[in-house]
Amino acid sequence: AVLLSCLVVALAATLGRTMANVKAALTDKPDIAVFLLLKDENVSSSVLLRSTEDQRDYLVETNDGPKLVKLKKGEKEWFVASKERMHE
């Protein structure tokens, strides 16, 4: 019973830490947020093109080809403001 309790506590702590890391990525680290926000796009790489206080523009390589992605900083976290497919 003690071993099971320790296992439950360890799993809860790991899950809590993982959620904290995801939240930090969306709020503080837009370079990681671009991968999390576009998880359905299968992003293989991203290049920062331009950065301002509240906006970051990336050239993102996806399975569908390159895309221009603009992230904007909201009140609490970054979000995808636009994405455009680029011609090769």
Side-chain angles (χ1 to χ4, degrees), residues 30-31 34 46-52 54-60 67-72 78 81-82:
D31 295 330
V34 73
S46 69
V47 176
L48 179 63
L49 301 175
R50 181 175 46 188
S51 176
T52 63
D54 61 346
Q55 181 173 320
R56 292 174 73 97
D57 300 345
Y58 293 90
L59 178 60
V60 176
K67 293 185 179 181
L68 176 63
V69 176
K70 295 184 179 190
L71 296 186
K72 287 202 174 203
W78 293 87
S82 68

Side-chain angles (χ1 to χ4, degrees), residues 3 5 8-9 21 26 32 42 44 57 73 77 80 85:
L3 187 58
S5 296
V8 169
V9 169
N21 287 342
L26 291 175
I32 297 172
N42 295 321
S44 60
D57 300 345
K73 190 171 188 176
E77 60 187 33
V80 176
R85 187 157 190 239

